[in-house]
């Protein structure tokens, strides 16, 4: 695997970073990644990232939980072990549905939340005991880092980044 050079441009203000990302994208440079200590509103749009589809998966996971809850309440309370509770016999699921609403709601939320978190971790490739991929520990405290690959345009890129307000510019080998 061949090492490639990248430029790490550090910023200390989120608004300056956002403006810098817009300028770098306007100059037709590819931004590999931006590391931030907190979410920056509008950064994904400025970088040109596609919108997330996690909400769509959450909807389908909720539908799965709803279907499971309906099947489970019907099987347990109507088919497998029907009970006469308070003089209300279990003849059909629809007659007893109001008493199943809390169970149905909780299982819908449970499935949506847990499967969405698992999907997020799998999509982000965040596994248990995985080493952090953060290139500089300052980005977890008070600095923002923009990582840009160098493609024989090192001088032009460094001067552009200096104009955008970068407080530190480093050229490193990425393995």
């Amino acid at each position: 695997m061949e090492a490639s050079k990248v430029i790490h441009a550090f910023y200390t203000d989120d608004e300056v970073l956002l403006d810098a990302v817009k300028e770098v994208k306007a100059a037709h440079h590819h931004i590999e990644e931006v590391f931030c200590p907190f979410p920056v509103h509008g950064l994904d749009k400025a970088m040109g990232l596609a919108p997330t589809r996690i909400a769509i998966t959450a909807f389908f996971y909720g539908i799965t939980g709803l279907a499971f809850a309906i099947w489970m309440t019907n099987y347990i309370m109507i088919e497998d072990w029907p009970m006469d509770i308070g003089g209300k016999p279990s003849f059909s699921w629809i007659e007893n549905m109001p008493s199943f609403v809390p169970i149905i709601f909780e299982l819908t939320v449970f499935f949506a939340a847990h499967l969405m978190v698992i999907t997020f971790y799998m999509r982000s490739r965040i596994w248990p005991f995985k080493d952090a991929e953060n290139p500089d520990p300052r980005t977890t405290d008070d600095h923002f880092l923009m990582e840009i690959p160098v493609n024989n345009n090192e001088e032009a890129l460094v001067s552009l980044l200096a104009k955008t307000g970068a407080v530190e510019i480093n050229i490193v080998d990425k393995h």
Side-chain angles (χ1 to χ4, degrees):
M1 187 165 148
E2 184 179 316
S4 58
K5 286 187 176 184
V6 293
I7 292 181
H8 287 171
F10 290 89
Y11 297 87
T12 54
D13 185 69
D14 57 333
E15 292 297 325
V16 175
L17 169 77
L18 195 55
D19 292 338
V21 166
K22 290 175 185 175
E23 286 184 44
V24 170
K25 291 301 277 185
H28 305 291
H29 294 288
H30 173 69
I31 299 173
E32 189 70 31
E33 187 66 73
V34 176
F35 297 89
C36 302
F38 54 84
V40 177
H41 181 70
L43 185 61
D44 53 344
K45 189 175 181 180
M47 287 181 64
L49 299 177
T52 180
R53 295 184 300 262
I54 196 86
I56 297 168
T57 61
F59 175 76
F60 286 113
Y61 294 152
I63 294 295
T64 303
L66 176 73
F68 179 78
I70 290 171
W71 171 82
M72 185 186 80
T73 53
N74 182 61
Y75 179 75
I76 292 171
M77 297 300 292
I78 306 301
E79 294 175 17
D80 186 45
W81 197 285
M83 291 191 259
D84 187 350
I85 300 172
K88 297 177 184 173
S90 298
F91 293 126
S92 71
W93 184 86
I94 198 69
E95 289 175 331
N96 292 281
M97 191 270 299
S99 62
F100 300 148
V101 167
I103 297 165
I104 292 170
F105 173 78
E106 291 298 332
L107 281 174
T108 301
V109 172
F110 178 87
F111 270 67
H114 287 78
L115 292 175
M116 192 167 49
V117 167
I118 292 168
T119 301
F120 172 77
Y121 284 149
M122 289 174 58
R123 181 71 178 95
S124 301
R125 294 188 171 114
I126 301 175
W127 315 114
F129 311 110
K130 182 181 180 200
D131 291 333
E133 294 178 6
N134 194 353
D136 193 295
R138 292 178 291 175
T139 60
T140 62
D141 186 24
D142 62 349
H143 280 67
F144 302 87
L145 183 145
M146 185 187 321
E147 185 177 89
I148 306 168
V150 176
N151 299 318
N152 299 324
N153 57 353
E154 191 174 312
E155 295 83 16
L157 206 47
V158 169
S159 66
L160 173 66
L161 292 170
K163 284 192 292 186
T164 63
V167 295
E168 182 181 331
I169 301 171
N170 300 326
I171 300 168
V172 298
D173 287 330
K174 187 174 181 179
H175 300 283

